[in-house]
Amino acid sequence: NTIDNIFVLPNLGEDCVFAEEYAELVQRCGNYVPSKRPTFGIIKKLLQKFNPNNESPIDNMILLLQKYTNQLELRVAERTQEILAEKEKGDQLLHSLLPPNIALELKMGNTTTARSFDCASICFSDIVGFTSLASQSTPMQVVNMLNELYTMFDYILDRFDVYKVETIGDAYMVVSGIPHENGIDHASEIACMALELISAVQEFTIPHKQKKKLQIRVGIHCGPVVAGVVGTKMPRYCLFGNTVNMALRMEADGEAMRIHVSNCYAQMLLRIGGFDLRKRCCTSNCLENGSTAKCTWWLNYVTIPKWAFRLHKPSAASIP
């Protein structure tokens, strides 16, 4: 081979059998002094030495191609596993934002329609005195505190048949019976979860105010709910209906470290059995169905092992 009348030796490559010997022979054959070049007889003897079995160059080529093919298949398999792992991470993130069945519909390019549920239990909680606490803290300290608190709540939720709807500021919203109906179990699932949240908060320490005890209010109500996805950019799975408003009222009209529940939710728990509830005096702020005032209740603790085993550390909500 020549480039601009300059003699260039071929590159045999690292995978060539007897690469060094062949390279040396080629260099000798390419000597600029003809007398120093080996004769054809010497070349033939050297080639027989290099290839005593008289293997066909085609066979060697096929072996090399098979080797390259195997290496390529291995690399493709590795890349495929990496892609699948990244896809799994993406699916997990999507499922943490939307129910899996809703996420699947959206991934397939389908539109989702709102669905009505006959009965579900909704729980709201918020931090008592959050505005005052936030005013005494830096924004970064507030974010870190909420992140630690709600990460703890998220871990607790994994043990119950509930679905975290959203967090807005210091408000934490959870539902059971949506997006998957579970009969009347939604009432007991939310009750056990709420008791566990109260118990966990009693041991929670504010990172930047370790001497100050954090307190939350919890409110629960049950009833018909409409659920659906709102928006196309950053879509959210939202709940609508008077049940949502009543659950929020139960929380707003509650007391620190207590679980305030509506009358209809309390009656459902009493039918299920296994929970200690105490009547609370009627208040003008707690109106069920937007009209008649009814007594609300405090959910205090579980009374039978059937529900106690669900709790990491069974303990009563604070009872004055």
Side-chain angles (χ1 to χ4, degrees):
N1 297 329
T2 59
I3 299 178
D4 296 332
N5 297 323
I6 299 176
F7 191 82
V8 180
L9 296 178
N11 184 6
L12 299 179
E14 296 179 356
D15 295 327
C16 179
V17 182
F18 298 106
E20 294 182 2
E21 289 83 350
Y22 278 116
E24 183 181 354
L25 178 57
V26 170
Q27 288 178 353
R28 290 174 60 187
C29 293
N31 198 301
Y32 289 101
V33 181
S35 61
K36 293 183 179 181
R37 298 172 188 170
T39 63
F40 283 105
I42 295 176
I43 293 174
K44 183 177 181 181
K45 289 180 181 180
L46 290 174
L47 291 177
Q48 288 176 349
K49 178 182 177 181
F50 298 158
N51 187 16
N53 298 325
N54 293 322
E55 295 178 352
S56 170
I58 300 300
D59 293 336
N60 288 331
M61 185 183 301
I62 292 174
L63 290 175
L64 289 175
L65 288 175
Q66 289 178 343
K67 180 180 179 180
Y68 292 147
T69 300
N70 294 335
Q71 292 178 346
L72 181 60
E73 289 178 351
L74 180 61
R75 292 180 180 178
V76 169
E78 292 175 350
R79 296 295 185 270
T80 302
Q81 290 300 320
E82 293 175 359
I83 292 173
L84 292 177
E86 292 300 321
K87 180 179 180 297
E88 181 66 20
K89 291 180 182 179
D91 289 342
Q92 290 178 356
L93 178 60
L94 185 59
H95 293 167
S96 66
L97 301 175
L98 296 169
N101 59 321
I102 301 296
L104 180 60
E105 289 292 327
L106 294 178
K107 285 176 62 177
M108 296 175 62
N110 301 331
T111 57
T112 60
T113 57
R115 180 184 172 189
S116 178
F117 294 85
D118 293 334
C119 192
S121 294
I122 298 178
C123 173
F124 276 99
S125 72
D126 75 344
I127 298 174
V128 177
F130 176 73
T131 302
S132 174
L133 178 60
S135 66
Q136 301 170 18
S137 310
T138 66
M140 189 62 68
Q141 289 174 335
V142 173
V143 171
N144 291 336
M145 178 192 68
L146 291 178
N147 181 59
E148 288 195 19
L149 177 65
Y150 291 151
T151 297
M152 179 181 69
F153 282 9
D154 293 344
Y155 176 78
I156 293 173
L157 262 59
D158 289 339
R159 305 206 306 271
F160 301 95
D161 184 14
V162 298
Y163 178 77
K164 176 184 174 181
V165 181
E166 62 182 348
T167 56
I168 302 177
D170 66 318
Y172 194 86
M173 181 181 182
V174 184
V175 65
S176 183
I178 298 174
H180 302 294
E181 295 177 294
N182 53 4
I184 63 172
D185 290 344
H186 58 82
S188 56
E189 291 291 327
I190 283 288
C192 290
M193 180 215 67
L195 289 168
E196 184 73 348
L197 294 185
I198 292 290
S199 177
V201 170
Q202 291 173 350
E203 300 179 1
F204 181 80
T205 301
I206 301 175
H208 61 286
K209 290 182 176 292
Q210 298 189 1
K211 293 184 179 180
K212 182 178 179 62
K213 294 298 294 183
L214 188 74
Q215 294 182 316
I216 64 171
R217 280 187 300 261
V218 180
I220 306 175
H221 181 57
C222 64
V225 180
V226 173
V229 177
V230 176
T232 55
K233 292 185 178 179
M234 297 183 64
R236 294 173 55 195
Y237 189 69
C238 300
L239 309 184
F240 301 92
N242 188 60
T243 302
V244 179
N245 299 331
M246 278 302 305
L248 190 56
R249 291 182 186 178
M250 292 297 108
E251 176 269 314
D253 200 47
E255 296 179 3
M257 299 302 288
R258 305 202 70 180
I259 303 171
H260 188 210
V261 304
S262 64
N263 182 65
C264 67
Y265 178 79
Q267 297 305 318
M268 182 172 290
L269 285 185
L270 291 173
R271 289 197 300 272
I272 294 173
F275 295 92
D276 181 82
L277 296 112
R278 294 290 184 267
K279 279 188 178 181
R280 184 192 189 192
C281 295
C282 300
T283 62
S284 58
N285 292 333
C286 296
L287 302 178
E288 297 196 27
N289 299 324
S291 56
T292 306
K294 295 184 179 180
C295 286
T296 56
W297 299 68
W298 298 116
L299 170 61
N300 296 320
Y301 51 85
V302 296
T303 60
I304 59 176
K306 176 181 179 181
W307 303 123
F309 83 93
R310 300 295 306 279
L311 305 182
H312 175 65
K313 181 182 177 183
S315 61
S318 302
I319 304 175

